[in-house]
Amino acid sequence: MKGNSMLAKGRFLPLFVWVAGLLIVWEALSWVLLNVVHTPLAQSKLPYVHELVATLFQYAGTLLKEGAATFGNAAIGFLLGAAAGVLLAVLMSVSKTIEQLTFPYAVASQMIPILGLAPIIYGIVRDEQISRIIISGYITFFPVSLNMLRGLRSVNLSALELMHSYAAKPWAVYWKLRLPAALPGLFSGLKIAAPLAVTGAILVELMGAQHGIGVIMLRNLYYGPSHTYMFWSTILVGAFLGMASYGLMSLIERLVAPWQPEFRPKGGSR
């Protein structure tokens, strides 16, 4: 226990130093802009950190409520998009014809800018919740399917030949060999897509939704300098939601696929 505690301190100490240094530099630059350079609207461009922290505590209830609305809808869209991505990856790995028929369109779908697609979806659906779910799922779908397909095809050929020599059924090959081999690739896609799903949900909220962290962000942007700290607070909450979604995926990966080299003690031995 003592060794683990020391290890944890050693891992988190550099992060703590970086974060503390960044906050000190931020606070100093904010003071310079306001009192030395006399930049117009200095607090709108780089507000004081301590004032931001005070605003976060003062409006914690509102930020938590609206942040939960954003995170909940992004999570639903993320799960649906991930399920669709996994299903398509499995189908493409089974059939070359399905891959040739679907993969080019999946790639082409990613050429559509989300900034242009979000208002179109919102205009068609006219429901903020469904729109957020659709956009979050759309963003999640492609990175998950691409990384999952790569993982399914990363199986060691000797292991595959061994399964075939035992006359293993196709479902057994997938369940016992291909799917476990694909888990690292799957989680790579999930970790990429999770913060993007939150961003997609916030983007839809900027189009005129009633609830969500993006709604507060837009309203406080309209109010101008008098609501600078609240506007920056919504940005920090949005960033926190993205980081939390990435951290959650990393935690689940550690629990589901603990055999990966980066999770082993001393970087290699089991």
Side-chain angles (χ1 to χ4, degrees):
M1 291 295 290
K2 186 177 180 180
N4 291 337
S5 177
M6 292 293 290
L7 180 63
K9 288 179 182 177
R11 292 180 60 182
F12 287 111
L13 183 60
L15 176 63
F16 174 78
V17 171
W18 271 103
V19 172
L22 177 64
L23 293 178
I24 291 172
V25 171
W26 182 341
E27 189 81 353
L29 285 176
S30 180
W31 183 85
V32 169
L33 288 178
L34 184 63
N35 299 294
V36 178
V37 185
H38 301 293
T39 303
L41 302 176
Q43 288 298 281
S44 298
K45 295 171 181 172
L46 197 64
Y48 280 127
V49 174
H50 68 277
E51 294 284 357
L52 262 178
V53 173
T55 305
L56 284 170
F57 277 105
Q58 184 178 356
Y59 296 99
T62 302
L63 293 170
L64 280 174
K65 179 183 175 184
E66 301 301 334
T70 300
F71 194 78
N73 287 294
I76 295 172
F78 172 77
L79 291 175
L80 293 175
V86 169
L87 178 61
L88 180 62
V90 172
L91 291 175
M92 287 192 295
S93 71
V94 171
S95 169
K96 202 71 178 176
T97 303
I98 293 177
E99 181 183 358
Q100 292 173 345
L101 287 174
T102 58
F103 196 70
Y105 295 102
V107 175
S109 69
Q110 300 305 303
M111 305 302 168
I112 303 173
I114 297 298
L115 192 61
L117 185 63
I120 294 174
I121 296 295
Y122 188 77
I124 294 173
V125 177
R126 305 303 300 173
D127 184 294
E128 60 178 276
Q129 188 169 4
I130 297 176
S131 301
R132 282 181 288 195
I133 292 172
I134 291 175
I135 291 297
S136 297
Y138 172 81
I139 292 175
T140 302
F141 168 76
F142 185 72
V144 170
S145 63
L146 182 63
N147 285 279
M148 181 75 181
L149 179 61
R150 183 179 298 172
L152 287 170
R153 289 180 173 166
S154 66
V155 177
N156 191 306
L157 287 178
S158 58
L160 196 59
E161 289 171 359
L162 181 64
M163 293 287 286
H164 288 157
S165 69
Y166 283 109
K169 295 184 181 300
W171 67 265
V173 174
Y174 265 85
W175 184 250
K176 297 182 178 180
L177 184 62
R178 287 192 183 274
L179 290 179
L183 284 178
L186 171 63
F187 278 103
S188 295
L190 292 176
K191 286 189 288 188
I192 293 171
L196 293 177
V198 174
T199 303
I202 293 176
L203 185 60
V204 172
E205 291 166 357
L206 297 177
M207 304 298 164
Q210 298 298 316
H211 298 286
I213 204 68
V215 177
I216 309 179
M217 186 185 298
L218 190 62
R219 288 175 183 171
N220 285 279
L221 182 63
Y222 282 148
Y223 291 144
S226 61
H227 287 69
T228 292
Y229 286 102
M230 192 59 182
F231 171 71
W232 276 81
S233 298
T234 60
I235 292 177
L236 291 181
V237 171
F240 173 77
L241 292 178
M243 289 189 291
S245 62
Y246 180 89
L248 183 60
M249 287 302 105
S250 299
L251 177 62
I252 295 174
E253 181 185 20
R254 180 179 285 270
L255 296 174
V256 174
W259 62 83
Q260 298 182 68
E262 61 267 31
F263 299 146
R264 298 176 195 165
K266 299 180 182 178
S269 60
R270 290 175 182 270

